[in-house]
Amino acid sequence: MVIKLLIGRQIYPINVRPEQEGLFREAARQINERLASYQTQWIGQDTERCLIATTLDFTVRMLRALEDASCEPYAASIGQLTAEVEEALAENTGTNTTQTT
């Protein structure tokens, strides 16, 4: 389906799946909100400069979110916990093999 989004002063027809319409409309709303903020701060600057600042702002936020969602810190912790569990199991198994039931 094609939806029309007003971003800045331009209308953009965008082809989206129906279930994504809300996401795209919210994205356009947030872009316009941030753009208006830059235009208020930078009176006299052209729209293109403010759009570039808006794009940079959102890209930095996205990269931070991806960095925060990185699995690396968790992978190290899981590796350490796995080693501890395996060590405990090995000790426990060693104890059980010497006992008779």
Side-chain angles (χ1 to χ4, degrees), residues 17 20 30:
R17 293 191 302 256
Q20 292 181 324
Q30 288 189 25

Side-chain angles (χ1 to χ4, degrees), residues 56-74:
L56 182 60
D57 188 356
F58 279 111
T59 303
V60 168
R61 288 173 187 234
M62 179 198 64
L63 291 172
R64 281 186 185 149
L66 289 173
E67 191 175 272
D68 290 346
S70 171
C71 295
E72 285 183 38
Y74 303 110

Side-chain angles (χ1 to χ4, degrees), residues 35-54 56:
L35 175 61
S37 174
Y38 280 114
Q39 288 173 325
T40 300
Q41 290 175 31
W42 299 344
I43 295 172
Q45 294 295 325
D46 63 355
T47 301
E48 182 179 358
R49 182 172 288 247
C50 293
L51 279 169
I52 290 169
T54 301
L56 182 60

Side-chain angles (χ1 to χ4, degrees), residues 4 12 32 42 45 56 69 73 88 90 93:
K4 293 180 181 178
Y12 296 91
N32 284 321
W42 299 344
Q45 294 295 325
L56 182 60
T93 303

Side-chain angles (χ1 to χ4, degrees), residues 87-101:
E87 183 180 329
L89 287 173
E91 289 173 4
N92 192 18
T93 303
T95 304
N96 286 343
T97 56
T98 59
Q99 296 177 353
T100 57
T101 55

